[in-house]
Amino acid sequence: MQNGFTLAGLIATASLTASLAAALAPISGSAADALLAGTITSATGEKMGGVTVSAKAEGATITTTVFTDEAGNYFFPPLPAGKYRVWAQALSFEIAKGDVDLDAARHQDFTLAPTHEFFRQLPGDLAMAALPEVTADDRRLKSLVINNCTGCHTASFTLQHQFDDAGWSAIIDLMKHVNVSGVYQGPEHKAQGVLDYHQKELAAYLARARGPQSAAKIKLRPRPAGETARVVFKEYDVPVDPDLGVPARDFGNNGSDWSLGTPSRRGSFVHDAVADLDGNLWFTSNVPNRRITIGRIDGKSGKVDFVKLDNNANGLAANTHGMTRDPSGTIWFNVNTGRGGLGKLEPASGKIVVYIPPTGMSPTGGATTVDWDGKGRIWTSSPDGALLFDPESERFTEFKSVTAKTTNGSGLTYGAAGDRDGNGWWAEMIIDIVNKGDAVTGKSIELKLPRVVLDKDFISEDARSFYESFNAPDFNAPVPWNQGPRRMGTDKDADVLWVGNSWGGTLAKINTRTMETSFVPLPGPGVMQPYHVAVDAKHNAWLNIWTSDVILRYDPAADRWTTFDLPTRGTEARYISLLERDGAPQVVIPYSRTSKVAVMSFRSEADLAALKSQAAH
């Protein structure tokens, strides 16, 4: 164990008494708060439901977003008085903007004009859904785009642009030398084999799909309605890395204006994020930098503080990736202060303690996920398995993956989770294996996921021979039949592990005692690529869809999916977490591309009726 680190001056005198539920309360407010409402209509006078309406106070770092009801009306929760920028958006319509001084006016109507050029507005899954798939060859090439061209970014970032054959070939030529972290390795680097093998035909397909004469056919899903139109989002801006010389994120380049397309990720610190029990948000940073290990966002003011631990190398901050909050409110995260360890944060005091696995044991690492189990212990990824940490004894126990590698790639650990019986689970993404660490026997058990079922004529014999012998250079170079088990979540009140299969486009349901496995397909119309899974107290599975700007909820009892639209374009969320207290759940979504952390809260029909009544007086 290393010495404890205290966040001097950051929290020592702060009183963290406001709960997140209070900060997002839908209908209560102080005397100085104002209710902003309005109506959205189309150019033909139609009342438009499910329109995204956002408001941000002058000089503030918090954006609040609501949606119109079926009559085209919107109602914000109470907002502090002051001057606000307000804007309304819907796919296939031009953005409408306005300025409101809530000291003088509390009503803002908008009329949305249609637009015929709106591909840049699309989230990633709808951008991919627009690619042609009329022929078997189209479907094969489209699957290659979905699986091999979204390894380090959402498809909307690339597909928002149009290039000819030579242009797309140049892009593929660069991307086949980019590693899983999005870093260009240079032309002498060994090319990513799947992209290299298919470069010529992929470039021709993309030139036809997204070239000067685009063959894309846009498909839209219904706008939010009912429950999905009653939610409220608060999005908190996180400053970008000033050392990179990138401009501060604002309305023009942070995904708030969909018409500008998906922005660059450069400079964003955000990776995982959780809410503490006192209304504040904490996030990890997985990019090399000199300023931040983890960050804290004040849930009420939006103020962001950076906490830096030294990694003992060139003044860089210790790197982090995974984060979780246990039932007591303690926050745990992996951290590399020279060797991969496990960080413990007490949010109220600000004290951080870092625990380092003993010599001879694997460090924390891989694409690290951190989770708690039903016995009060912490599980975290290691590059070749998982580690179990007992907070009482402050001891680590190591579990190794059964299969370290295959002819198709290395079994580097991706997601990890703890179940209610005290066992751990982790995924080897590129070789489609899920492992269980039995905490009683100390042994590892593996579950090999079946291949994705493909049409018999989907792959030529030459291509099949190439795929069978292909050795992936990292965990993000799949062949067409890969499932891609990514990050996962357990139901702490049932014997269920949910795994997001990023390339298979499914949710795997695994019985944590029998290991019986079944698959649930994700909803369309686009191809949804699941990333992480969090499970609520009602046994619902929540998924962030990192290549789209939505989150999904799956109700296993009703076998029903619900899609919630996010207000920002290009969110690229890699994690999702929950805070459930007093019957008022919140969903926390870190936006790794657009440098924000969002919190979604729920409003009932009664809440909206009360707001409507207040707004009328």
Side-chain angles (χ1 to χ4, degrees):
M1 184 186 79
Q2 290 189 350
N3 294 329
F5 298 90
T6 300
L7 315 188
L10 174 59
I11 312 176
T13 61
S15 175
L16 307 182
T17 57
S19 71
L20 188 59
L24 297 175
I27 61 174
S28 62
S30 69
D33 289 343
L35 296 176
L36 174 61
T39 302
I40 310 295
T41 57
S42 68
T44 58
E46 173 194 6
K47 297 292 190 293
M48 296 181 63
V51 174
T52 305
V53 188
S54 304
K56 189 174 189 179
E58 212 173 64
T61 59
I62 303 173
T63 301
T64 304
T65 297
V66 298
F67 300 87
T68 56
D69 62 20
E70 65 278 1
N73 300 314
Y74 69 85
F75 302 93
F76 277 89
L79 299 171
K83 296 180 180 179
Y84 284 77
R85 171 188 286 165
V86 185
W87 62 98
Q89 301 182 93
L91 291 177
S92 78
F93 290 86
E94 295 180 2
I95 187 172
K97 306 175 186 177
D99 295 300
V100 178
D101 186 346
L102 291 185
D103 290 319
R106 301 184 178 186
H107 196 89
Q108 176 67 60
D109 295 337
F110 289 109
T111 298
L112 299 189
T115 178
H116 298 295
E117 298 293 334
F118 61 93
F119 197 99
R120 288 172 67 87
Q121 296 180 352
L122 298 178
D125 68 306
L126 295 185
M128 289 189 289
L131 301 182
E133 52 182 332
V134 175
T135 67
D137 224 32
D138 280 352
R139 292 190 291 275
R140 177 179 61 85
L141 291 166
K142 182 172 181 174
S143 73
L144 289 168
V145 173
I146 291 169
N147 285 354
N148 289 274
C149 297
T150 59
C152 54
H153 56 75
T154 172
S156 62
F157 180 64
T158 303
L159 293 177
Q160 65 186 324
H161 304 292
Q162 293 172 265
F163 301 99
D164 60 13
D165 195 310
W168 282 113
S169 185
I171 290 172
I172 296 170
D173 205 46
L174 183 146
M175 293 307 298
K176 68 186 184 184
H177 295 289
V178 170
N179 70 8
V180 69
S181 299
V183 178
Y184 179 60
Q185 304 291 292
E188 302 306 316
H189 169 263
K190 183 180 179 180
Q192 200 265 53
V194 175
L195 288 178
D196 194 46
Y197 184 85
H198 292 287
Q199 181 169 348
K200 184 176 181 179
E201 58 179 346
L202 265 178
Y205 173 75
L206 286 167
R208 180 160 51 87
R210 290 295 294 152
Q213 307 298 322
S214 178
K217 302 293 183 183
I218 296 175
K219 306 171 186 177
L220 299 181
R221 58 176 146 263
R223 292 196 295 266
E227 180 192 23
T228 61
R230 293 197 299 269
V231 296
V232 178
F233 282 93
K234 280 196 172 184
E235 296 175 309
Y236 297 83
D237 296 344
V238 174
V240 294
D241 190 346
D243 295 338
L244 298 182
V246 296
R249 294 293 177 93
D250 59 19
F251 186 79
N253 70 350
N254 71 355
S256 294
D257 183 345
W258 303 347
S259 67
L260 300 177
T262 296
S264 167
R265 185 174 185 262
R266 186 169 169 79
S268 176
F269 289 118
V270 177
H271 204 277
D272 286 11
V274 300
D276 67 27
L277 301 182
D278 290 315
N280 305 296
L281 302 167
W282 298 82
F283 62 91
T284 62
S285 180
N286 192 43
V287 293
N289 74 90
R290 298 181 180 275
R291 296 175 179 269
I292 177 173
T293 298
I294 59 173
R296 174 186 179 272
I297 305 172
D298 186 288
K300 187 173 183 180
S301 70
K303 182 177 182 294
V304 180
D305 289 291
F306 289 171
V307 181
K308 178 184 175 182
L309 303 181
D310 191 2
N311 81 343
N312 302 317
N314 302 320
L316 293 176
N319 199 241
T320 58
H321 187 282
M323 176 177 274
T324 192
R325 184 198 65 250
D326 70 21
S328 71
T330 300
I331 293 174
W332 300 85
F333 56 98
N334 75 288
V335 59
N336 189 342
T337 56
R339 187 166 186 266
L342 180 65
K344 174 185 177 181
L345 164 68
E346 298 294 348
S349 68
K351 183 180 180 181
I352 292 177
V353 180
V354 175
Y355 301 93
I356 303 297
T359 302
M361 187 178 291
S362 292
T364 62
T368 317
T369 305
V370 183
D371 193 25
W372 53 277
D373 66 25
K375 305 296 183 181
R377 298 172 301 193
I378 306 301
W379 288 85
T380 180
S381 312
S382 70
D384 53 359
L387 301 175
L388 171 62
F389 180 74
D390 185 339
E392 290 190 5
S393 65
E394 298 185 348
R395 294 177 63 88
F396 287 93
T397 302
E398 183 175 29
F399 292 81
K400 297 283 193 181
S401 299
V402 177
T403 301
K405 62 181 179 179
T406 70
T407 55
N408 295 120
S410 171
L412 183 71
T413 300
Y414 211 90
D419 67 27
R420 68 172 176 173
D421 292 329
N423 304 307
W425 299 81
W426 63 96
E428 297 173 275
M429 183 174 171
I430 195 63
I431 58 176
D432 288 345
I433 291 176
V434 175
N435 292 269
K436 175 182 179 179
D438 189 309
V440 175
T441 66
K443 296 181 178 180
S444 299
I445 308 165
E446 78 172 16
L447 171 66
K448 176 69 175 178
L449 299 180
R451 289 181 170 186
V452 173
V453 177
L454 304 171
D455 294 338
K456 62 180 181 179
D457 59 349
F458 193 77
I459 303 172
S460 70
E461 286 306 311
D462 285 347
R464 183 177 296 278
S465 177
F466 166 73
Y467 294 146
E468 292 287 4
S469 62
F470 174 63
N471 187 272
D474 54 41
F475 53 74
N476 236 342
V479 297
W481 53 70
N482 275 143
Q483 293 281 4
R486 210 151 195 156
R487 300 179 87 173
M488 54 186 66
T490 55
D491 189 331
K492 298 300 193 284
D493 297 308
D495 302 323
V496 177
L497 169 73
W498 296 101
V499 184
N501 293 315
S502 191
W503 303 315
T506 61
L507 189 60
K509 180 182 181 182
I510 301 174
N511 185 297
T512 55
R513 294 184 175 177
T514 67
M515 298 185 80
E516 179 184 358
T517 304
S518 59
F519 295 86
V520 182
L522 272 64
V527 175
M528 297 286 193
Q529 292 180 283
Y531 209 95
H532 181 234
V533 186
V535 184
D536 66 25
K538 296 181 179 179
H539 309 292
N540 297 310
W542 290 86
L543 290 72
N544 57 300
I545 305 302
W546 87 294
T547 50
S548 187
D549 301 317
V550 301
I551 55 175
L552 300 179
R553 183 185 66 201
Y554 178 64
D555 178 351
D559 188 23
R560 181 174 62 240
W561 289 99
T562 305
T563 303
F564 297 86
D565 286 1
L566 298 175
T568 292
R569 190 58 68 241
T571 50
E572 219 166 88
R574 288 166 163 80
Y575 191 72
I576 188 169
S577 61
L578 307 172
L579 177 61
E580 299 179 273
R581 294 190 305 168
D582 304 323
Q586 288 94 36
V587 184
V588 179
I589 314 103
Y591 297 173
S592 67
R593 173 168 288 272
T594 51
S595 195
K596 306 176 189 178
V597 178
V599 180
M600 183 179 78
S601 61
F602 297 83
R603 303 190 290 187
S604 67
E605 292 180 355
D607 291 334
L608 281 179
L611 282 173
K612 186 175 183 179
S613 176
Q614 292 179 51
H617 292 86

